[in-house]
Amino acid sequence: LVSGSGATNPNGIIRQGQGFLVELLSGITQVEFTNSMKSNNVANQFFRSANSNDNTSEGDELSSPKDVYWVNLKKGDVILDQILIAYSDKTTNDFDAAFDGKSFSNYTNKLFTTIENEKYAIQARSLSSLDKDEIGLGFEVENATSYIIELDSKLGIFERKSIYIKDLLNNTIHNLSDKAFHFSTISGN
């Protein structure tokens, strides 16, 4: 997921010197990496702080499901957090260990979906529910102020299909595909 304003979307390859988190399933005590997992990808996509030189390659292809979209939580022009929603014929609308990613962020401003009362930054959904799907969206913010929820990118069917957000407080529906959703809130959930 994108880590800040103007950042490049990851291409699915973890370069040397990069890190990631793994949450082990119950009863599993180790993670095994093999040489067959290595890639010859030389796109030079390397993520680091915004103050370093950026030599990422434009046009890097994502190795992810074809029907996917990213949603940002912003304050002004600054991206505070991002989630990814993807649809696949290999996933369900429940927890899928190899596809769904928990929200581990320690940020004070979070955007997330939920599965079984757990917060997720990546949620893979069943392709069969694509035509009429509702996804619970939540957020946590540090300050009572104005925020923005917007679509960052869309692939596959979402390049032609609209995505809506329902404001439960005002009982209104907003088309995110047309424009960003602006709202004010108190701090907390």
Side-chain angles (χ1 to χ4, degrees):
L1 296 175
V2 172
S3 61
S5 180
T8 302
N9 282 327
N11 68 358
I13 305 296
I14 301 172
R15 303 287 295 171
Q16 64 274 14
Q18 298 284 267
F20 59 95
L21 297 172
V22 175
E23 181 180 22
L24 298 176
L25 299 174
S26 178
I28 296 179
T29 58
Q30 62 185 9
V31 176
E32 181 179 340
F33 297 95
T34 65
N35 284 333
S36 66
M37 296 173 173
K38 290 182 179 179
S39 171
N40 291 328
N41 179 300
V42 291
N44 204 22
Q45 191 174 56
F46 191 84
F47 296 98
R48 60 193 148 280
S49 70
N51 295 329
S52 61
N53 294 329
D54 184 9
N55 61 358
T56 59
S57 298
E58 288 298 318
D60 287 339
E61 293 298 318
L62 298 172
S63 58
S64 61
K66 302 294 182 225
D67 299 311
V68 59
Y69 61 94
W70 292 260
V71 179
N72 296 332
L73 173 66
K74 293 175 65 176
K75 183 176 174 184
D77 292 333
V78 177
I79 297 175
L80 302 173
D81 204 7
Q82 183 180 72
I83 61 170
L84 177 145
I85 308 293
Y87 288 80
S88 170
D89 59 0
K90 298 176 182 169
T91 57
T92 69
N93 289 345
D94 296 319
F95 174 71
D96 296 297
F99 296 92
D100 297 317
K102 283 190 177 178
S103 175
F104 288 116
S105 87
N106 292 325
Y107 303 129
T108 53
N109 300 295
K110 293 183 194 181
L111 185 65
F112 54 86
T113 64
T114 58
I115 304 171
E116 300 167 6
N117 297 320
E118 295 283 337
K119 297 173 184 172
Y120 286 83
I122 300 171
Q123 189 174 139
R125 308 283 293 173
S126 170
L127 193 57
S128 65
S129 66
L130 184 63
D131 287 333
K132 188 168 179 149
D133 195 13
E134 292 185 14
I135 300 168
L137 186 66
F139 63 92
E140 295 175 3
V141 292
E142 179 179 33
N143 298 314
T145 190
S146 296
Y147 294 92
I148 302 165
I149 294 177
E150 71 172 5
L151 285 175
D152 182 88
S153 301
K154 305 185 292 182
L155 295 175
I157 194 167
F158 295 108
E159 293 172 322
R160 305 175 305 281
K161 188 175 184 68
S162 292
I163 299 166
Y164 298 90
I165 186 168
K166 183 174 182 179
D167 181 339
L168 297 176
L169 182 65
N170 296 314
N171 199 29
T172 58
I173 297 176
H174 180 83
N175 187 341
L176 280 181
S177 298
D178 287 344
K179 62 182 180 176
F181 175 66
H182 296 255
F183 66 102
S184 296
T185 187
I186 61 172
S187 61
N189 290 343

